[in-house]
């Protein structure tokens, strides 16, 4: 069983916490271009985070991957990263 909580903090990044009291916070990733549309950024964040954790990545790496993909998604119109 995994008992973890992830909190998206917008311009402050994201944090991860477990029931044992461990926590990790990462800063936001910088978009690679101007912010165009935030549609799908949260879904992309969740997908990247879950895929990374499922693949065995530690919380910090998973959060960084999730923030990076979300930052990429906001630079284009619509919900699909290109």
């Amino acid at each position: 069983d995994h008992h973890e909580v992830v909190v998206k903090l917008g311009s402050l990044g994201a944090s991860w916490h477990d029931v044992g009291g461990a926590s990790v916070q990462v800063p936001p990733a910088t978009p690679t271009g101007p912010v165009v549309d935030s549609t799908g950024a949260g879904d992309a964040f969740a997908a990247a985070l879950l895929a990374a954790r499922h693949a065995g990545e530690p919380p910090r790496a998973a959060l960084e991957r999730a923030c990076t993909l979300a930052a990429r998604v906001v630079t284009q119109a619509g919900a699909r990263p290109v």
Side-chain angles (χ1 to χ4, degrees):
D1 287 338
H2 295 285
H3 300 283
E4 304 176 3
V5 173
V6 173
V7 181
K8 297 184 300 180
L9 301 169
S11 65
L12 299 176
S15 62
W16 168 93
H17 310 270
D18 75 6
V19 295
S23 65
V24 173
Q25 184 166 346
V26 299
T30 303
T32 57
V35 174
V36 174
D37 185 358
S38 64
T39 302
D43 293 334
F45 177 95
L49 178 79
L50 291 170
R53 291 297 284 146
H54 182 72
E57 290 190 26
R60 179 174 303 282
L63 286 174
E64 289 169 349
R65 183 180 302 267
C67 286
T68 298
L69 184 58
R72 185 172 147 204
V73 167
V74 300
T75 63
Q76 57 199 9
R80 294 184 336 185
V82 178

